Amino acid sequence: AQSVTQPDIHITVSEGASLELRCNYSYGATPYLFWYVQSPGQGLQLLLKYFSGDTLVQGIKGFEAEFKRSQSSFNLRKPSVHWSDAAEYFCAVTSGTYKYIFGTGTRLKVLA
Amino acid sequence: DAGVIQSPRHEVTEMGQEVTLRCKPISGHDYLFWYRQTMMRGLELLIYFNNNVPIDDSGMPEDRFSAKMPNASFSTLKIQPSEPRDSAVYFCASKRGGADTQYFGPGTRLTVL
């Protein structure tokens, strides 16, 4: 069955520390992968996406993600977290059939 | 670009009442999606339209839910009668055909008492 797993429900980091949010997928076809961020009371904003090519993709707000086919992973990283990064982060996958499958989300807390 | 517009942003109603949620997609986008977000189930796709035609409504929970798209710039999601378990945040998203990125609206937070 197609699925997306975000193993960490909550993550807390100190401001300035590095961040890695995990995403694993199970998908029969070649996946298109996305990371979205949801700030409190807001909709989902696209951070970055991977369709093909270079497996390290750069996104907005200083985020990057690396696609590893052998590990079925698409982890999100940021070298130095800012207090404004506190939000919920969603990984999603689609094969281009327009139906996204979302992970359950990881809520990030940033300590001053 | 104004982005996806949803109204109302918050809705509080009593069990048994009819609720109508509204969405205006981004101009030029020919796909429209309705999602529901709850703590228990996360983000679920309810239904999506292409060129105003419903393509997949397999996510619609039951007959109390219905969605329409009378034209390219407007869609509604209706719940009749509403129940407390319908309380959730409902998102609308749109995309352009040939592109793979969906753009989300701010959501409608529905509370059914």
Side-chain angles (χ1 to χ4, degrees):
Chain A
Q2 301 161 353
S3 65
V4 175
T5 302
Q6 293 180 246
D8 305 304
I9 298 174
H10 297 277
I11 282 185
T12 300
V13 299
S14 298
E15 191 170 19
S18 63
L19 173 71
E20 182 169 30
L21 303 183
R22 295 182 290 166
C23 173
N24 293 96
Y25 65 90
S26 174
Y27 213 76
T30 300
Y32 295 166
L33 295 154
F34 304 81
W35 275 100
Y36 282 85
V37 60
Q38 184 181 24
S39 297
Q42 302 298 312
L44 279 71
Q45 181 183 21
L46 179 68
L47 282 176
L48 48 77
K49 59 188 176 184
Y50 171 79
F51 294 162
S52 64
D54 192 345
T55 56
L56 184 65
V57 293
Q58 303 297 320
I60 62 171
K61 305 185 180 186
F63 285 92
E64 66 178 26
E66 186 171 13
F67 171 59
K68 293 185 177 180
R69 186 184 297 276
S70 62
Q71 298 178 18
S72 297
S73 70
F74 188 56
N75 294 349
L76 182 71
R77 301 194 294 249
K78 187 169 184 177
S80 178
V81 171
H82 188 262
W83 64 266
S84 61
D85 293 326
E88 189 155 20
Y89 292 80
F90 292 91
C91 181
V93 64
T94 180
S95 65
T97 60
Y98 315 119
K99 291 183 70 169
Y100 280 19
I101 297 173
F102 281 91
T104 51
T106 297
R107 188 172 297 277
L108 174 65
K109 183 177 180 180
V110 180
L111 302 177
Chain B
D1 200 328
V4 176
I5 299 172
Q6 291 187 247
S7 64
R9 293 293 308 275
H10 301 272
E11 177 80 39
V12 180
T13 190
E14 294 188 345
M15 183 174 63
Q17 297 298 305
E18 177 179 296
V19 175
T20 300
L21 312 181
R22 297 172 176 79
C23 175
K24 177 179 170 55
I26 294 172
S27 178
H29 284 193
D30 49 358
Y31 284 83
L32 184 139
F33 305 80
W34 281 101
Y35 290 87
R36 178 172 67 177
Q37 184 181 39
T38 61
M39 290 292 292
M40 293 299 296
R41 301 173 68 90
L43 269 160
E44 305 172 277
L45 177 65
L46 300 177
I47 184 171
Y48 79 90
F49 295 82
N50 177 215
N51 291 323
N52 314 336
V53 176
I55 302 301
D56 185 347
D57 65 354
S58 59
M60 295 286 264
E62 47 197 277
D63 293 345
R64 297 184 297 105
F65 285 69
S66 63
K68 294 182 179 180
M69 193 165 185
N71 58 62
S73 58
F74 184 66
S75 177
T76 59
L77 178 67
K78 185 177 294 186
I79 308 172
Q80 166 64 21
S82 58
E83 297 183 2
R85 60 193 168 118
D86 301 331
S87 297
V89 181
Y90 291 82
F91 288 103
C92 177
S94 70
K95 69 180 277 297
R96 183 176 291 112
D100 292 280
T101 302
Q102 296 182 20
Y103 295 87
F104 285 76
T108 296
R109 181 173 296 277
L110 172 66
T111 303
V112 183
L113 303 175

